[in-house]
Amino acid sequence: MSGKRWIAISIAVGIFFISTVFNFFSYALSSNFTEMFEAAENEWLEHVVERGNGRGKIVVLDVNGVIQDTGDAVPLFSTGTYHHRQFLSMLEQAGEDPSIDGILLRVDTPGGGVVESAEIHDRITKIQEETEKPIFVSMGSMAASGGYYIAAPADKIIAHPSTITGSLGVILESVNIAGLAEQLGIEANVIKSGEFKDIMSPLREMTEAEHEILQEMLDESYNEFVRVIAEGRNMAESEVRKLADGRIYSGNQGVQLDLVDELGSKDEAIQLLMDHIGKGNIDVVRYEPSFGLNQFFALSAQKMFQTDHDLLGIKELLNQSNSPTLKYLYRN
C-alpha cells in the first residue's frame, strides 16, 4: 500500500475519532452527564413528570399508533409512533420494579396485529397474576379492535365520551387486481408445490376452498378475541358476540355496554389509579432510554455512516413483507 493511501486512511480515522469525541461532549453538556454513564441495571430510566408525596409512584406507558412489530431498526430518539419491542420491554420493567405501585396504559390506537396484541395482553395478565399491581387503561381518541383487546384485562378502563372504541373482531384483506392485470396484458407464471401455496394471490380470483381455509383461521382468532373480552370484563361470551360484530362505539356507548368502566380524561384516570392504590398523590413517571456508552457509540456510528434517516426508513419499508396477515384492526 502506498504512503499516500496510508496517510489518507490515517486522516479518515482521525476525523472519525475527533467527530466522536466532539459529539460525546456535546451530548454531555446538553444532558445529565451522570445518567449517560449510569450502569444500566434497567433498560429504561425514570423521568418524573409529576412530583408527588414520595411515598410511591405510578408509571404511564403509551400505546400510540398501529400495534405492529417493525423490528429494531428505529431512530434512537423516535417519538410519536409505536415500537412493539420497546413497549414490551417497558411493560416488563414496570412489572418487575417493586417501586412501581401501579401502571397506567394510555391507549390511542386503531389496533394492529393479532400476535402483537396477544403478546401485550399476555404480558399484562402475567403482571397482574404475579404482582397484583393495578393496571388501569386511559383511552385516547381511539382504542379500537386490538386497542380494546389489550385493554380488556385492565382493572379499570376509562375513556373520553367521544373515544372511538369497539370494532371488536378480526380482519384479513388483500387486493384483487386480476381484471386490471388482464387489461394491461400481465400474466402470472406460478410454479407451486401445492394447490393452496399461492392463496390470496392478487392476480386471480379466490376459490371457495381457499375462502373456507382463511375463514376457519379468522374464526379461531375471533373466538380468542371473544374469550379475552368475556374473561377480562366478566361477561358471558354470548353477550360479547352480540357486541363484537365489528361496529364501533363511542366512549359513552362503551359505558352503557359495560365495555368501559368510567368516563374521564388521562389526568382523571391517573387520579383514579392513585385513589385505588391508597397512598395519596404519589409520583407519576415515564420511561426514557438508558443512554450509556454502548448506545452513544452506536448512535455516533449511525450518524457517521448513515446520515439520512429517511433512507433508512424507506429501506425498512421495502424489506417488509406485503403478505396479508390477520389483524385486530379498525379500518375507517
Side-chain angles (χ1 to χ4, degrees):
M1 185 179 293
S2 67
K4 290 183 179 180
R5 182 164 296 183
W6 277 113
I7 293 173
I9 293 175
S10 300
I11 292 174
V13 172
I15 292 173
F16 175 77
F17 177 79
I18 293 171
S19 175
T20 300
V21 173
F22 177 78
N23 288 333
F24 176 82
F25 285 106
S26 295
Y27 179 83
L29 292 173
S30 62
S31 63
N32 188 330
F33 190 79
T34 58
E35 284 186 359
M36 188 172 178
F37 294 98
E38 182 175 318
E41 179 181 349
N42 294 323
E43 183 177 354
W44 305 98
L45 297 175
E46 291 181 2
H47 171 65
V48 179
V49 295
E50 185 177 325
R51 185 72 63 182
N53 56 25
R55 297 173 55 195
K57 55 192 170 186
I58 64 173
V59 63
V60 179
L61 304 179
D62 293 308
V63 181
N64 185 17
V66 178
I67 302 171
Q68 57 184 345
D69 190 349
T70 56
D72 293 321
V74 295
L76 186 60
F77 299 113
S78 62
T79 58
T81 57
Y82 176 77
H83 187 263
H84 186 61
R85 299 182 192 181
Q86 288 183 354
F87 179 77
L88 290 179
S89 175
M90 288 189 288
L91 191 56
E92 182 175 7
Q93 180 168 314
E96 294 176 349
D97 187 347
S99 69
I100 297 293
D101 296 294
I103 302 170
L104 180 76
L105 301 183
R106 177 63 172 179
V107 179
D108 198 343
T109 173
V114 166
V115 172
E116 292 92 335
S117 300
E119 287 177 338
I120 297 174
H121 171 275
D122 293 345
R123 194 67 57 92
I124 290 172
T125 54
K126 179 181 178 182
I127 292 173
Q128 291 171 321
E129 293 169 0
E130 294 182 355
T131 70
E132 298 184 352
K133 291 182 181 181
I135 299 178
F136 282 23
V137 164
S138 169
M139 292 182 169
S141 60
M142 180 178 293
S145 201
Y148 192 85
Y149 187 101
I150 66 175
D155 296 282
K156 182 164 288 190
I157 298 175
I158 302 97
H160 187 276
S162 298
T163 294
I164 294 177
T165 187
S167 187
L168 311 176
V170 195
I171 189 169
L172 176 64
E173 57 186 349
S174 68
V175 177
N176 185 346
I177 60 171
L180 177 61
E182 184 177 355
Q183 292 179 15
L184 297 176
I186 299 174
E187 295 183 1
N189 296 315
V190 179
I191 302 173
K192 53 186 179 179
S193 58
E195 178 184 356
F196 302 110
K197 184 59 180 173
D198 64 338
I199 195 169
M200 291 192 79
S201 168
L203 296 176
R204 63 174 178 80
E205 297 289 337
M206 184 182 300
T207 68
E208 183 175 341
E210 289 172 334
H211 187 278
E212 291 178 359
I213 290 172
L214 296 173
Q215 187 65 53
E216 184 177 351
M217 291 177 55
L218 190 142
D219 289 343
E220 287 183 3
S221 295
Y222 175 76
N223 291 334
E224 177 64 12
F225 201 158
V226 170
R227 184 197 67 79
V228 162
I229 298 173
E231 186 176 287
R233 300 299 298 172
N234 194 25
M235 299 170 65
E237 287 196 7
S238 58
E239 185 63 26
V240 174
R241 291 181 186 277
K242 293 179 183 178
L243 304 176
D245 59 2
R247 75 183 68 186
I248 58 175
Y249 303 105
S250 69
N252 274 321
Q253 292 173 321
V255 172
Q256 297 168 10
L257 298 171
D258 200 28
L259 294 174
V260 174
D261 294 299
E262 294 189 31
L263 298 176
S265 65
K266 181 181 71 173
D267 290 339
E268 289 171 326
I270 290 175
Q271 189 59 55
L272 286 170
L273 179 54
M274 288 184 181
D275 294 342
H276 178 85
I277 294 171
K279 293 184 177 181
N281 290 332
I282 55 181
D283 294 349
V284 180
V285 303
R286 287 182 177 274
Y287 286 150
E288 296 179 345
S290 176
F291 196 76
L293 279 177
N294 290 338
Q295 292 87 348
F296 168 75
F297 285 115
L299 179 62
S300 297
Q302 184 182 31
K303 286 184 175 180
M304 173 67 69
F305 296 109
Q306 190 72 47
T307 58
D308 193 336
H309 294 293
D310 289 336
L311 290 178
L312 278 174
I314 292 173
K315 179 181 177 182
E316 287 300 312
L317 181 63
L318 292 174
N319 286 336
Q320 290 180 11
S321 170
N322 291 321
S323 302
T325 57
L326 292 169
K327 297 175 182 175
Y328 298 137
L329 183 65
Y330 167 58
R331 292 287 197 191
N332 57 5

